[in-house]
Amino acid sequence: MNEKHSSTADHEYDEEGVLQANHDFAVVQPNDVFGNEAGHAIKYKTLSWPMVAVLMITEIVSNGMLSLPQSGGAVGLIPNVILIVFLGIFGTFTAYLLVQFKLNHPEVHNMGDAGYIMFGPIGREILAAGTVLFAIFATGSQLIAGELALATLSDSSLCLMLYTGIFAIPITICSFPRTLDRLSWLSIPATFSILIAGLVGMIGAGVNPVPGRTVSLTHSQTFINAFGSVANPVFAYAGHFMFFILISEMRNPRDAMKAAYVLQGFATTFYAVFAIQQHWYLGDGVASPSLLSLPPKWQKAAFAIAIPNFLIAGSLYSHTAAKLIFLRLFRNSKHLHSHTVMGWCTWNVLVLVMNAAAFVLAVGIPVFPYLVGIAASLFASWYTYGIAGTFWLHDSYYVTGLGTAGWRRQPIMFVLSVLTFIAGGFICVAGLYTFIELIKAAYDSGTVGSPFLCYSAPPPSGNSTSSG
């Protein structure tokens, strides 16, 4: 419904009939997922583009950064840096395609909605389910990061499952706000925390280099070992699955690319600098996360500072999973914008279920890190890379009304979009093959533990031969 006919007199419209933001209201396009929120008790479209950029940085620049130095140790410093920079540029391109699709289809709130437009009801169910599953796995990954941080700080005085449970409590609490603007303010200190933690890690590595280390500029590997390591930078940018949800709560969705440029510029620069510095001073044997290769006191300092980022990133992921289902249930109903008992009870239950599922998966599956890799291969390969190509192909064919002529008029974009789709398919297949083989190898070696086993990790050792 075009909101132009139900607005107040002080609203302004552009030449396309799109309701523009004034001091009190957000931009509302026809068919906007949240519609005109004037007069509603709960308003979602409140985010500015700088706050969206902060949210994007919080959810992406976390575990990805800490695992990148190990990729350099596996494939070599030069290939690792080239891959980080290339994927940063590639991620910017796919973000552009995603943003343009969202602007062309303001009714899209998540990947499921996009799937419905392109592939019908089956596409909606597959992409929506994939978004929820990947968000739950991502929440579990942040639980593991928090578990590791708490274990490091306490010298593993408790069993790891208890640390995971302890960390799950604040993540769940921070997931409860119904609108992302509440989480956006928490994301500001979370962003600073991962930035400062990275700087502390670099200082710790610089003053405590590993004696006799080897730093390989290039390094040959088997396909499985190479891709298992290359998956770190590939999935370090795997946050695009949240972009539709973030953009939907912007006051002006047309500013979304500004946030994406800030994210990709910050992430690519920080990833490259951190990966080079850590690999250079800690050598080819650098651990993942790389902070574990530091002396104990530097480990503790960096992990303590990084905890706010792990916490809010996990909350964003579980919030995303709950929000997708909540919108599916209550879109265009009074429960979406009003303080109803049904609305709040449903929202609270969804948040609890998503966080509980993440906790059970994280502590109940001994090969959970490999399953995160499988989930990323199945979903992030498409959400961050491959499916963006289909967005352009669809809109240039249908939205323009030109059919194949729309493709022929922009041959470079056509080729890039097809290659983007092929790249997503390659990452998906190669990732699945790699992580399945790694799971088999782990079971064959007898290193896989039992589910829900409460065991303690060894205390942090790091580079014990160096000073500091």
Side-chain angles (χ1 to χ4, degrees), residues 243-283:
F243 282 10
F244 283 143
I245 293 176
L246 291 170
I247 297 170
S248 294
E249 298 195 28
M250 290 183 67
R251 290 180 59 85
N252 187 359
R254 293 178 178 179
D255 288 336
M257 271 313 297
K258 297 177 183 178
Y261 286 137
V262 171
L263 163 68
Q264 298 297 136
F266 177 86
T268 303
T269 302
F270 199 39
Y271 282 167
V273 171
F274 187 81
I276 293 171
Q277 198 272 354
Q278 294 282 278
H279 185 190
W280 186 263
Y281 285 101
L282 301 177

Short mmCIF file of all heavy atoms in Angstrom, two decimals, residues 243-283:
data_model
loop_
_atom_site.label_atom_id
_atom_site.label_comp_id
_atom_site.label_asym_id
_atom_site.label_seq_id
_atom_site.Cartn_x
_atom_site.Cartn_y
_atom_site.Cartn_z
N PHE A 243 22.00 -8.41 6.54
CA PHE A 243 21.90 -7.06 5.98
C PHE A 243 20.46 -6.64 5.72
O PHE A 243 20.08 -5.50 5.99
CB PHE A 243 22.72 -6.96 4.69
CG PHE A 243 24.20 -6.83 4.91
CD1 PHE A 243 24.75 -7.00 6.18
CD2 PHE A 243 25.05 -6.52 3.87
CE1 PHE A 243 26.12 -6.89 6.38
CE2 PHE A 243 26.41 -6.38 4.07
CZ PHE A 243 26.95 -6.57 5.33
N PHE A 244 19.63 -7.53 5.18
CA PHE A 244 18.24 -7.16 4.91
C PHE A 244 17.53 -6.74 6.19
O PHE A 244 16.76 -5.77 6.21
CB PHE A 244 17.49 -8.32 4.27
CG PHE A 244 17.78 -8.54 2.81
CD1 PHE A 244 17.84 -9.82 2.30
CD2 PHE A 244 18.00 -7.48 1.96
CE1 PHE A 244 18.10 -10.04 0.95
CE2 PHE A 244 18.27 -7.68 0.62
CZ PHE A 244 18.33 -8.97 0.11
N ILE A 245 17.77 -7.49 7.27
CA ILE A 245 17.12 -7.18 8.54
C ILE A 245 17.61 -5.84 9.08
O ILE A 245 16.82 -5.04 9.59
CB ILE A 245 17.38 -8.32 9.55
CG1 ILE A 245 16.67 -9.60 9.08
CG2 ILE A 245 16.94 -7.94 10.96
CD1 ILE A 245 16.93 -10.82 9.92
N LEU A 246 18.91 -5.58 8.97
CA LEU A 246 19.46 -4.31 9.43
C LEU A 246 18.92 -3.15 8.60
O LEU A 246 18.50 -2.11 9.14
CB LEU A 246 20.98 -4.35 9.35
CG LEU A 246 21.70 -5.27 10.34
CD1 LEU A 246 23.17 -5.39 9.98
CD2 LEU A 246 21.55 -4.77 11.76
N ILE A 247 18.92 -3.30 7.28
CA ILE A 247 18.46 -2.22 6.41
C ILE A 247 16.99 -1.92 6.63
O ILE A 247 16.55 -0.76 6.56
CB ILE A 247 18.73 -2.57 4.93
CG1 ILE A 247 20.24 -2.71 4.69
CG2 ILE A 247 18.16 -1.51 4.00
CD1 ILE A 247 20.59 -3.28 3.33
N SER A 248 16.20 -2.96 6.94
CA SER A 248 14.77 -2.77 7.15
C SER A 248 14.48 -1.85 8.33
O SER A 248 13.42 -1.23 8.39
CB SER A 248 14.08 -4.12 7.37
OG SER A 248 14.13 -4.91 6.21
N GLU A 249 15.41 -1.77 9.28
CA GLU A 249 15.20 -0.93 10.46
C GLU A 249 15.95 0.40 10.37
O GLU A 249 16.13 1.09 11.37
CB GLU A 249 15.57 -1.70 11.73
CG GLU A 249 14.68 -2.93 11.93
CD GLU A 249 14.74 -3.52 13.33
OE1 GLU A 249 15.01 -2.76 14.29
OE2 GLU A 249 14.51 -4.73 13.46
N MET A 250 16.38 0.76 9.15
CA MET A 250 17.02 2.06 8.94
C MET A 250 15.98 3.14 8.70
O MET A 250 14.95 2.90 8.07
CB MET A 250 17.96 2.00 7.73
CG MET A 250 19.22 1.18 7.94
SD MET A 250 20.32 1.24 6.50
CE MET A 250 20.83 2.98 6.56
N ARG A 251 16.26 4.33 9.19
CA ARG A 251 15.38 5.47 8.90
C ARG A 251 15.36 5.76 7.40
O ARG A 251 14.32 6.10 6.85
CB ARG A 251 15.85 6.71 9.67
CG ARG A 251 15.64 6.62 11.17
CD ARG A 251 16.14 7.88 11.87
NE ARG A 251 15.44 9.07 11.38
CZ ARG A 251 14.27 9.48 11.84
NH1 ARG A 251 13.66 8.81 12.80
NH2 ARG A 251 13.70 10.57 11.37
N ASN A 252 16.50 5.63 6.77
CA ASN A 252 16.58 5.85 5.33
C ASN A 252 17.40 4.72 4.69
O ASN A 252 18.63 4.78 4.67
CB ASN A 252 17.23 7.20 5.03
CG ASN A 252 17.19 7.54 3.54
OD1 ASN A 252 16.68 6.76 2.72
ND2 ASN A 252 17.71 8.68 3.17
N PRO A 253 16.74 3.70 4.16
CA PRO A 253 17.47 2.56 3.58
C PRO A 253 18.39 2.95 2.43
O PRO A 253 19.32 2.20 2.12
CB PRO A 253 16.33 1.65 3.08
CG PRO A 253 15.16 2.00 3.94
CD PRO A 253 15.28 3.48 4.18
N ARG A 254 18.16 4.10 1.82
CA ARG A 254 19.03 4.52 0.71
C ARG A 254 20.45 4.83 1.16
O ARG A 254 21.35 4.99 0.33
CB ARG A 254 18.41 5.73 0.01
CG ARG A 254 17.10 5.40 -0.70
CD ARG A 254 16.48 6.63 -1.33
NE ARG A 254 15.25 6.30 -2.04
CZ ARG A 254 14.49 7.20 -2.66
NH1 ARG A 254 14.84 8.48 -2.63
NH2 ARG A 254 13.39 6.82 -3.28
N ASP A 255 20.64 4.95 2.47
CA ASP A 255 21.99 5.20 3.00
C ASP A 255 22.73 3.90 3.34
O ASP A 255 23.81 3.94 3.91
CB ASP A 255 21.90 6.05 4.28
CG ASP A 255 21.53 7.49 3.99
OD1 ASP A 255 21.78 7.95 2.86
OD2 ASP A 255 20.99 8.15 4.89
N ALA A 256 22.14 2.76 3.00
CA ALA A 256 22.71 1.48 3.43
C ALA A 256 24.12 1.25 2.90
O ALA A 256 24.97 0.68 3.60
CB ALA A 256 21.79 0.33 3.00
N MET A 257 24.40 1.67 1.67
CA MET A 257 25.74 1.43 1.13
C MET A 257 26.80 2.21 1.87
O MET A 257 27.97 1.80 1.91
CB MET A 257 25.79 1.77 -0.36
CG MET A 257 25.42 0.61 -1.28
SD MET A 257 26.22 -0.98 -0.90
CE MET A 257 27.94 -0.61 -1.15
N LYS A 258 26.44 3.34 2.48
CA LYS A 258 27.42 4.07 3.29
C LYS A 258 27.89 3.18 4.44
O LYS A 258 29.09 3.12 4.74
CB LYS A 258 26.80 5.36 3.83
CG LYS A 258 26.40 6.37 2.77
CD LYS A 258 25.74 7.59 3.42
CE LYS A 258 25.27 8.59 2.37
NZ LYS A 258 24.58 9.75 2.97
N ALA A 259 26.94 2.51 5.08
CA ALA A 259 27.29 1.59 6.18
C ALA A 259 28.13 0.44 5.66
O ALA A 259 29.10 0.02 6.31
CB ALA A 259 26.02 1.08 6.85
N ALA A 260 27.76 -0.09 4.49
CA ALA A 260 28.51 -1.22 3.93
C ALA A 260 29.93 -0.82 3.57
O ALA A 260 30.88 -1.60 3.79
CB ALA A 260 27.78 -1.76 2.70
N TYR A 261 30.12 0.39 3.03
CA TYR A 261 31.47 0.85 2.71
C TYR A 261 32.34 0.98 3.97
O TYR A 261 33.52 0.60 3.97
CB TYR A 261 31.42 2.20 1.98
CG TYR A 261 30.95 2.12 0.55
CD1 TYR A 261 30.04 3.06 0.05
CD2 TYR A 261 31.40 1.12 -0.30
CE1 TYR A 261 29.60 3.00 -1.26
CE2 TYR A 261 30.97 1.06 -1.62
CZ TYR A 261 30.06 2.00 -2.09
OH TYR A 261 29.63 1.94 -3.39
N VAL A 262 31.74 1.51 5.03
CA VAL A 262 32.48 1.63 6.29
C VAL A 262 32.86 0.25 6.81
O VAL A 262 34.01 0.02 7.22
CB VAL A 262 31.64 2.39 7.34
CG1 VAL A 262 32.32 2.34 8.71
CG2 VAL A 262 31.44 3.84 6.92
N LEU A 263 31.91 -0.66 6.80
CA LEU A 263 32.19 -2.02 7.26
C LEU A 263 33.31 -2.67 6.47
O LEU A 263 34.29 -3.15 7.05
CB LEU A 263 30.92 -2.89 7.13
CG LEU A 263 31.16 -4.40 7.19
CD1 LEU A 263 31.60 -4.82 8.58
CD2 LEU A 263 29.94 -5.17 6.72
N GLN A 264 33.17 -2.70 5.15
CA GLN A 264 34.15 -3.42 4.33
C GLN A 264 35.52 -2.74 4.39
O GLN A 264 36.55 -3.43 4.42
CB GLN A 264 33.66 -3.49 2.89
CG GLN A 264 32.36 -4.27 2.70
CD GLN A 264 32.45 -5.73 3.09
OE1 GLN A 264 31.58 -6.27 3.75
NE2 GLN A 264 33.54 -6.37 2.71
N GLY A 265 35.55 -1.42 4.41
CA GLY A 265 36.83 -0.72 4.52
C GLY A 265 37.52 -1.01 5.83
O GLY A 265 38.73 -1.30 5.87
N PHE A 266 36.75 -0.92 6.93
CA PHE A 266 37.32 -1.20 8.25
C PHE A 266 37.75 -2.64 8.36
O PHE A 266 38.88 -2.93 8.80
CB PHE A 266 36.28 -0.87 9.32
CG PHE A 266 36.74 -1.19 10.73
CD1 PHE A 266 37.47 -0.27 11.46
CD2 PHE A 266 36.46 -2.42 11.30
CE1 PHE A 266 37.90 -0.57 12.75
CE2 PHE A 266 36.87 -2.74 12.58
CZ PHE A 266 37.60 -1.80 13.32
N ALA A 267 36.87 -3.57 7.98
CA ALA A 267 37.17 -4.99 8.16
C ALA A 267 38.37 -5.40 7.33
O ALA A 267 39.27 -6.09 7.83
CB ALA A 267 35.95 -5.82 7.77
N THR A 268 38.40 -5.01 6.06
CA THR A 268 39.51 -5.43 5.19
C THR A 268 40.84 -4.89 5.69
O THR A 268 41.84 -5.61 5.74
CB THR A 268 39.25 -4.95 3.74
OG1 THR A 268 37.99 -5.47 3.30
CG2 THR A 268 40.34 -5.44 2.82
N THR A 269 40.86 -3.62 6.06
CA THR A 269 42.11 -3.03 6.56
C THR A 269 42.57 -3.68 7.85
O THR A 269 43.74 -4.07 8.00
CB THR A 269 41.91 -1.51 6.79
OG1 THR A 269 41.50 -0.90 5.57
CG2 THR A 269 43.20 -0.87 7.27
N PHE A 270 41.65 -3.83 8.78
CA PHE A 270 42.00 -4.39 10.09
C PHE A 270 42.38 -5.86 9.97
O PHE A 270 43.34 -6.32 10.59
CB PHE A 270 40.83 -4.22 11.05
CG PHE A 270 41.21 -4.36 12.50
CD1 PHE A 270 42.40 -3.84 12.98
CD2 PHE A 270 40.38 -5.01 13.39
CE1 PHE A 270 42.75 -3.96 14.32
CE2 PHE A 270 40.69 -5.14 14.72
CZ PHE A 270 41.90 -4.61 15.19
N TYR A 271 41.63 -6.61 9.15
CA TYR A 271 41.96 -8.01 8.92
C TYR A 271 43.39 -8.16 8.39
O TYR A 271 44.17 -8.99 8.87
CB TYR A 271 41.00 -8.63 7.90
CG TYR A 271 39.64 -9.00 8.41
CD1 TYR A 271 38.61 -9.30 7.52
CD2 TYR A 271 39.35 -9.06 9.77
CE1 TYR A 271 37.35 -9.65 7.96
CE2 TYR A 271 38.09 -9.40 10.22
CZ TYR A 271 37.09 -9.70 9.32
OH TYR A 271 35.85 -10.05 9.76
N ALA A 272 43.71 -7.38 7.36
CA ALA A 272 45.02 -7.51 6.72
C ALA A 272 46.15 -7.15 7.68
O ALA A 272 47.14 -7.87 7.80
CB ALA A 272 45.07 -6.64 5.46
N VAL A 273 46.01 -6.01 8.36
CA VAL A 273 47.06 -5.57 9.29
C VAL A 273 47.24 -6.58 10.42
O VAL A 273 48.37 -6.96 10.76
CB VAL A 273 46.72 -4.18 9.86
CG1 VAL A 273 47.70 -3.80 10.97
CG2 VAL A 273 46.76 -3.13 8.75
N PHE A 274 46.15 -7.04 11.00
CA PHE A 274 46.22 -7.98 12.12
C PHE A 274 46.81 -9.31 11.67
O PHE A 274 47.68 -9.87 12.36
CB PHE A 274 44.82 -8.20 12.70
CG PHE A 274 44.81 -9.02 13.96
CD1 PHE A 274 45.10 -8.45 15.19
CD2 PHE A 274 44.52 -10.38 13.90
CE1 PHE A 274 45.09 -9.22 16.35
CE2 PHE A 274 44.50 -11.16 15.06
CZ PHE A 274 44.79 -10.57 16.29
N ALA A 275 46.37 -9.81 10.53
CA ALA A 275 46.87 -11.11 10.05
C ALA A 275 48.36 -11.05 9.75
O ALA A 275 49.12 -11.98 10.11
CB ALA A 275 46.10 -11.53 8.80
N ILE A 276 48.82 -9.97 9.12
CA ILE A 276 50.25 -9.83 8.80
C ILE A 276 51.07 -9.75 10.08
O ILE A 276 52.09 -10.44 10.24
CB ILE A 276 50.49 -8.59 7.92
CG1 ILE A 276 49.86 -8.78 6.54
CG2 ILE A 276 51.98 -8.30 7.80
CD1 ILE A 276 49.87 -7.52 5.70
N GLN A 277 50.66 -8.88 10.99
CA GLN A 277 51.45 -8.65 12.21
C GLN A 277 51.54 -9.90 13.07
O GLN A 277 52.61 -10.28 13.55
CB GLN A 277 50.85 -7.49 12.99
CG GLN A 277 51.78 -6.86 14.02
CD GLN A 277 51.70 -7.55 15.38
OE1 GLN A 277 50.87 -8.43 15.60
NE2 GLN A 277 52.57 -7.14 16.30
N GLN A 278 50.39 -10.58 13.27
CA GLN A 278 50.38 -11.76 14.12
C GLN A 278 51.20 -12.90 13.50
O GLN A 278 51.96 -13.58 14.18
CB GLN A 278 48.94 -12.23 14.34
CG GLN A 278 48.10 -11.25 15.14
CD GLN A 278 48.39 -11.30 16.64
OE1 GLN A 278 47.88 -12.15 17.35
NE2 GLN A 278 49.22 -10.40 17.11
N HIS A 279 51.04 -13.10 12.21
CA HIS A 279 51.81 -14.16 11.53
C HIS A 279 53.30 -13.85 11.56
O HIS A 279 54.12 -14.74 11.78
CB HIS A 279 51.31 -14.29 10.09
CG HIS A 279 51.93 -15.43 9.34
ND1 HIS A 279 51.78 -15.60 7.98
CD2 HIS A 279 52.71 -16.47 9.75
CE1 HIS A 279 52.42 -16.68 7.59
NE2 HIS A 279 53.00 -17.22 8.65
N TRP A 280 53.65 -12.60 11.38
CA TRP A 280 55.06 -12.23 11.32
C TRP A 280 55.77 -12.47 12.65
O TRP A 280 56.90 -12.96 12.68
CB TRP A 280 55.19 -10.77 10.91
CG TRP A 280 56.61 -10.34 10.69
CD1 TRP A 280 57.43 -9.69 11.57
CD2 TRP A 280 57.38 -10.56 9.51
NE1 TRP A 280 58.67 -9.47 11.02
CE2 TRP A 280 58.67 -10.01 9.74
CE3 TRP A 280 57.11 -11.16 8.28
CZ2 TRP A 280 59.68 -10.06 8.79
CZ3 TRP A 280 58.12 -11.20 7.32
CH2 TRP A 280 59.38 -10.66 7.59
N TYR A 281 55.12 -12.14 13.74
CA TYR A 281 55.77 -12.26 15.04
C TYR A 281 55.53 -13.61 15.72
O TYR A 281 56.31 -14.01 16.60
CB TYR A 281 55.30 -11.14 15.97
CG TYR A 281 55.91 -9.80 15.64
CD1 TYR A 281 55.20 -8.84 14.93
CD2 TYR A 281 57.22 -9.50 16.02
CE1 TYR A 281 55.76 -7.62 14.61
CE2 TYR A 281 57.79 -8.28 15.71
CZ TYR A 281 57.06 -7.35 14.99
OH TYR A 281 57.62 -6.14 14.67
N LEU A 282 54.47 -14.33 15.35
CA LEU A 282 54.16 -15.59 15.99
C LEU A 282 54.49 -16.80 15.13
O LEU A 282 54.49 -17.94 15.62
CB LEU A 282 52.68 -15.63 16.40
CG LEU A 282 52.25 -14.52 17.36
CD1 LEU A 282 50.75 -14.61 17.64
CD2 LEU A 282 53.04 -14.57 18.67
N GLY A 283 54.76 -16.56 13.84
CA GLY A 283 55.24 -17.64 12.98
C GLY A 283 54.14 -18.49 12.38
O GLY A 283 52.94 -18.29 12.62
#
